[in-house]
Amino acid sequence: MSLETQFAQLRKDYFRNPSPGLSQRKAALKALRQQLLAMQAELYQAAATDFGQRSASETRLLEVLPSINSIDYSLRRLKGWMKPQKRHVSPLFWPASNQVEYQPLGLVGIIVPWNYPIFLALGPLVAAISAGNKVMLKLSEFTPAINQVLKQLIEKALPDCALVIEGEADVAAAFSQLPFDHLLFTGSTAVGRHVMQAAAQNLTPVTLELGGKSPVLFGPDLHLDDYADRIIFGKCANGGQTCVAPDYLLVPAGKEQRAAEKLKAHYHKMFPQGRQSQDWTSVINQRQWQRLQQGLQQAAAAGAQIVSCGDAVDVNDPLRRMDLQLVLGAPLDCALWQQEIFGPVLPIYGYRSTKEAIEFIQARPRPLAFYLFSNDKELQQRCREQIHAGGVCINDTLVHVGQDDLPFGGVGPSGLGHYHGKEGFLTFSHAKAVHRKGRLSSGIFAYPLLRRRLLDKVLDLWFGYRITDTDRPDDSRQALHQREGN
């Protein structure tokens, strides 16, 4: 069955019940939760298969747990989200009432990336189902094992609500051209531009969750020893393949080498066996593996110092595992500074003042996340006011994404729009304005004859200005005189 046929059928299904009630939506979410828990063992095995090495513990913590939390949070608050909101009515329009009703958009498309293929499929799906929509999901071609489990999971839990699509890049391109009522894409900025162009042909609104180079600014008031573990965790989770992973580290000038030593020491504590640890995640495929190798080689050739936190990189490792690589002195025009790294590589740069550090970040495309390590309230305030980022996390990394009651999304090149929690419900809903009147209506005083007899006189007093015939164009005054003469 073609994409277009599947799309048309699901849209037809939506119009059979265009506004599912609270009980229906909750039932769908509960079914999804139940099936996710029932099939988690298959998901853990599939993730290990697709990545080459990825522990069940990592998949549960980073993908299954936040998916369950998202469902539970929505179940607890969905009734309040769906309730129409009363709005103010100006005295000019009394007696009347105003409210905003949240109506499902209809058929939502979700394009899922390979780095968190479970959570980045189920997270948006939960939001779209909570809002009462039908959903089509295009899964990544780089995670075929996970796709098979997700397909079974979603078909069992949501047979009438969601449809899973697989295929290569050509299928993804065709998918983005379908006339969805909303399209959510998670992936690179470069591909996001193509998705937005394709959606624009149908005036389809889009939410783009992209990425970019998320900076870590380490303030001069703290000791790295106290916070190094948080930076390492954020950088090394999922093998560094996280859209909000720290992409570079700014430390006070002259402390770059010392920072590298501290990070290396703490890396050994967190991963005593380094990349051999069962908690280490492989680079997803050979293409990404080669890209990381080329970035390191280019930086080294340009004079950068590469500090490996473990053994030397084995370029022939069949599981594509790489210990954290710290890069000092890399020229700012090399790939590690120009492109999102998306792997266990962390450039370190020395700043001479916090003002210079802020300007360094401002000079680059706006990131998906900004991390500040400092207890200096004044510096915290300056950074929050002067740095544009999708989200800010102070004295930690990554964990802001797991906050159910905070929106998640980028700004500028790092994304457009947001979801998670209530923001996800709002993203996939149409906020429909409803103005209601009964038998009585003050609107009759705006009709031309009554307006001249009464409303204009009231407005003359209100505005402090009386409209006369001289305020009308000559032809209007002439027509008025003709009508009055008749």
Side-chain angles (χ1 to χ4, degrees), residues 428-443:
F428 294 119
S429 300
H430 169 57
K432 183 165 63 177
V434 178
H435 179 76
R436 183 181 291 110
K437 282 190 170 72
R439 182 173 179 79
L440 297 177
S441 173
S442 60

Side-chain angles (χ1 to χ4, degrees), residues 134-455:
K134 303 291 187 185
V135 183
M136 290 178 69
L137 299 100
K138 165 60 178 73
L139 304 183
S140 171
E141 63 271 29
F142 299 122
T143 55
I146 291 175
N147 293 357
Q148 290 307 303
V149 182
L150 279 178
K151 184 177 176 64
Q152 295 176 38
L153 189 159
I154 292 170
E155 287 177 349
K156 289 180 180 179
L158 307 171
D160 302 320
C161 299
L163 183 64
V164 171
I165 304 296
E166 295 184 85
E168 301 293 326
D170 59 327
V171 176
F175 187 91
S176 63
Q177 294 171 4
L178 294 172
F180 290 108
D181 297 297
H182 196 98
L183 179 62
L184 184 143
F185 166 81
T186 304
S188 71
T189 302
V191 177
R193 290 190 175 96
H194 293 296
V195 170
M196 192 171 185
Q197 287 177 337
Q201 300 304 310
N202 297 307
L203 295 180
T204 297
V206 295
T207 297
L208 303 177
E209 300 299 346
L210 308 177
K213 302 184 70 62
S214 297
V216 179
L217 172 54
F218 202 88
D221 60 308
L222 298 183
H223 295 290
L224 189 58
D225 260 332
D226 298 328
Y227 298 91
D229 289 349
R230 304 180 196 185
I231 298 173
I232 292 169
F233 173 75
K235 185 61 189 178
C236 296
N238 199 35
Q241 299 162 115
T242 305
C243 57
V244 290
D247 208 86
Y248 61 91
L249 172 62
L250 302 176
V251 299
K255 295 185 178 180
E256 299 92 331
Q257 194 72 43
R258 183 64 171 162
E261 294 171 0
K262 294 288 187 183
L263 289 171
K264 183 174 182 178
H266 281 265
Y267 175 83
H268 286 158
K269 293 179 181 178
M270 189 173 293
F271 300 98
Q273 296 176 295
R275 67 172 183 259
Q276 305 293 335
S277 169
Q278 64 177 0
D279 294 316
W280 191 257
T281 299
S282 298
V283 174
I284 184 69
N285 55 35
Q286 194 65 26
R287 175 184 173 187
Q288 298 298 326
W289 180 247
Q290 291 177 349
R291 179 185 60 79
L292 290 169
Q293 304 292 340
Q294 291 169 358
L296 287 169
Q297 292 166 6
Q298 181 196 40
Q305 177 188 0
I306 311 296
V307 178
S308 177
C309 291
D311 297 330
V313 177
D314 178 4
V315 297
N316 297 314
D317 181 0
L319 293 179
R320 302 176 302 279
R321 297 165 299 178
M322 178 192 297
D323 287 295
L324 177 61
Q325 306 293 302
L326 306 173
V327 183
L328 286 71
L332 296 180
D333 60 352
C334 71
L336 293 182
W337 281 111
Q338 296 299 314
Q339 302 169 8
E340 184 177 8
I341 293 174
F342 228 66
V345 178
L346 184 65
I348 300 175
Y349 181 87
Y351 64 84
R352 289 168 293 183
S353 67
T354 54
K355 179 177 182 294
E356 179 193 355
I358 291 172
E359 291 174 348
F360 186 91
I361 297 169
Q362 289 174 330
R364 284 153 180 77
R366 294 173 173 178
L368 187 55
F370 165 63
Y371 302 113
L372 172 65
F373 284 84
S374 174
N375 290 326
D376 183 337
K377 300 299 183 183
E378 188 272 335
L379 178 58
Q380 291 180 5
Q381 182 71 16
R382 272 199 294 143
C383 287
R384 295 204 313 271
E385 291 178 352
Q386 297 178 21
I387 293 175
H388 289 82
V392 176
C393 191
I394 297 175
N395 292 334
D396 209 342
T397 61
L398 296 195
V399 295
H400 67 294
V401 180
Q403 310 308 305
D404 292 312
D405 204 25
L406 287 180
F408 175 68
V411 55
S414 62
L416 174 68
H418 42 247
Y419 69 108
H420 284 198
K422 184 176 182 179
E423 276 72 21
F425 174 85
L426 295 176
T427 288
F428 294 119
S429 300
H430 169 57
K432 183 165 63 177
V434 178
H435 179 76
R436 183 181 291 110
K437 282 190 170 72
R439 182 173 179 79
L440 297 177
S441 173
S442 60
I444 60 174
F445 296 108
Y447 302 166
L449 292 179
L450 286 178
R451 182 171 66 234
R452 288 181 55 78
R453 294 174 184 173
L454 178 61
L455 184 58

